Amino acid sequence: MTTDTTSAPNFIRNQVQEEVEAGRSGKIVTRFPPEPNGFLHIGHAKSICLNFGLAEQFGGDCHLRFDDTNPAKEEQAYIDAIKEDVSWLGFEWAGPVRFASDYFDRFYAWAQHLVREGKAYVDDLSPDEIREHRGTLTEPGRPSPYRERGVEENLDLLERMRIGEFAEGEKVLRAKIDMAAPNINLRDPILYRIRHASHHQTGDRWKIYPSYDFAHGQSDAIEGVTHSICTLEFEDHRPLYEWLLDNLPVPSKPRQIEFARLNMNYTLTSKRKLKLLVDQGIVDGWDDPRMPTLSGMRRRGYTPASIRKFCEMIGVTRADGGLVDIAMLYHAIRSDLEDSAPRAMVVLKPLKVVLTNVPEDHEEVYDVPGHPARDDMGVRKIPFAREIYIDRDDFMEEPPKKFFRLAPGKEVRLRNSYVIRCDEVVKNPAGEIEALHCSVDFETLGKNPEGRKVKGVIHWVSAGHGVPLEVRLYDNLFLEEQPDKDKDADFLEHLNPESLVTVQAIGEPGLADVTPESRFQFERVGYFCADRHACRPGELVFNRTVGLKDTWAKIKKKG
Ligand code: ATP
Ligand code: MG
């Protein structure tokens, strides 16, 4: 049933392949450079799979480097979570975990170098004034009155910025490039800002911190990165990236290559917005199973293989603006779990059924395959007795024509067991259905009743043997495909009020000793995963990973 999903084009991989075949490349070195200001999300997975994937495929190295130039927003907890997520996805970084802050001394020496060469200056304009002077896309910028400061004065001021003599915002170091450059990034970009903040790696040593642009390319150069892969927003920064490498005595010349970021429907991929969901308590932390974070997806039941497969399916292009259908992600996890998840019977909305012609003390046990196609998964023991539960949705008092499940006077097969007939509907005084009285046709175990057509098969659990489960039914967090499309509106307006529905279910007895993070197909219901944190013996908690209906496979077939 799993349609194969071949990989989509990846222009960067093709390019590297050509370089390798033409003998133009030495060892490939890439890097994944997260800023430790939040957890990694599915968009980062695309970048991780690309960077680590290239290193894997071409026998190179991929570094994990924290882009830690903004101490105000960064935390050790994020560093730990990011490392765990990358490892969980199955990738290994080459060498130690690196930090841009490892290179702060060298960056500072390079800043002094630029000053000495007359290519950088300390500016006293305020942040607002700098913005005003910068000009627009149609108007050139205006030079700062401090632009022509002498080298000695600049060196002195820079040093005093470093040791904390000035307040935040009082001064910045700027590159002296071209205030009339058509590319605004070249209009004397800021290289250093004053920040009186403690840094998670360097403590209180520094009172100035490099800008992203001043840190990124130089870190790449120090590490001998050959392909510095980033998302398209940085295309306009490339001339600056190259200017810095050309004007500094760097040990290597990496090349920046941009690709389109992943955007997916019903999903936010901005750390700032995800953080807001966490901070406002709208979700239960960064690893809430509804979050598109890797830790959330892990908790939800995604496998590393399914995420890697998804990243392969979406490919890598420079075409911006597309929205990937989340159905593709669901397809990737389904096709993985279809083959790898053992089966179980779980009734989400239990309705008691008394099998009136089964004696009180009757018990039989069926041996049922753990997985229909995998002998290596062994057998499950399924006990059968007089009282069972079926799902409320598998019974209708007044069924429409094509309802092949249970209804008064109608027959249905209990999966792996007998055909039963519904004889009586038991109601409470309020008229609500409390139980069904049914009878078993004992001639039907493993064979069809003669002369009667029983189309429906439903799952069930023995009432006396089943174990209670808390099942958390997760759905998309947003009802709108692009919750943040309208920049002026509040994306929280589009929250799905039913993104989490918790039910008390009954499962087959074998589930009693599951270990956290084990995954199952609950037959006829969907794929579920024992919660990493909450599931323990006697307190079983399962998260719905995804339902069974594969809309993406259908789309693929039609297309
Ligand atoms: P934010 O959107 O919150 O600013 P960011 O993109 O700046 O996040 P980083 O930690 O800087 O987050 O990202 C690390 C790497 O992951 C970068 O190389 C970045 O280009 C890449 N990345 C981030 N988001 C996506 C995405 N949606 N698709 C592909 N790559 C992404
Ligand atoms: Mg970033």
Side-chain angles (χ1 to χ4, degrees), residues 32-35 41 43-44 46-47 229 231 259 261-262 269-272:
F32 173 63
E35 187 180 348
H41 54 62
H44 293 114
K46 178 176 180 179
S47 174
I229 300 166
T231 41
F259 71 101
R261 56 185 286 123
L262 167 68
T269 45
S270 147
K271 279 188 277 189
R272 186 177 57 78

Side-chain angles (χ1 to χ4, degrees), residues 33-35 37 44 67 212 233-234 271:
E35 187 180 348
N37 61 352
H44 293 114
D67 215 331
Y212 168 86
E233 314 89 88
F234 292 99
K271 279 188 277 189

Side-chain angles (χ1 to χ4, degrees), residues 174-195:
R174 297 176 72 175
K176 193 171 179 180
I177 308 180
D178 179 3
M179 286 307 291
N183 183 333
I184 293 180
N185 289 299
L186 294 179
R187 294 183 190 169
D188 292 9
I190 291 172
L191 306 181
Y192 268 103
R193 288 185 185 84
I194 299 172
R195 287 268 181 283

Side-chain angles (χ1 to χ4, degrees), residues 266 476-483 493-498:
Y266 303 104
N476 295 340
L477 197 47
F478 294 97
L479 295 170
E480 274 296 316
E481 283 207 66
Q482 272 181 285
E493 282 169 19
H494 304 301
L495 281 170
N496 175 5
E498 293 184 359

Side-chain angles (χ1 to χ4, degrees), residues 61-102:
D61 284 343
C62 181
H63 299 174
L64 173 62
R65 180 176 74 233
F66 288 97
D67 215 331
D68 56 343
T69 54
N70 185 359
K73 291 193 171 170
E74 299 164 5
E75 275 177 33
Q76 184 62 41
Y78 296 140
I79 293 176
D80 297 339
I82 289 170
K83 280 160 47 181
E84 188 178 345
D85 287 344
V86 173
S87 301
W88 176 74
L89 267 187
F91 294 111
E92 252 179 75
W93 48 89
V97 172
R98 295 157 216 253
F99 295 87
S101 57
D102 294 342

Side-chain angles (χ1 to χ4, degrees), residues 500-517:
L500 168 58
V501 175
T502 301
V503 298
Q504 301 303 321
I506 310 273
E508 65 177 63
L511 292 173
D513 42 45
V514 290
T515 48
E517 291 205 277

Side-chain angles (χ1 to χ4, degrees), residues 501-539:
V501 175
T502 301
V503 298
Q504 301 303 321
I506 310 273
E508 65 177 63
L511 292 173
D513 42 45
V514 290
T515 48
E517 291 205 277
S518 27
R519 303 175 179 91
F520 292 88
Q521 185 195 92
F522 291 173
E523 291 177 306
R524 300 184 62 235
V525 181
Y527 293 100
F528 292 79
C529 176
D531 190 83
R532 250 182 110 186
H533 306 313
C535 190
R536 54 181 72 93
E539 222 175 302

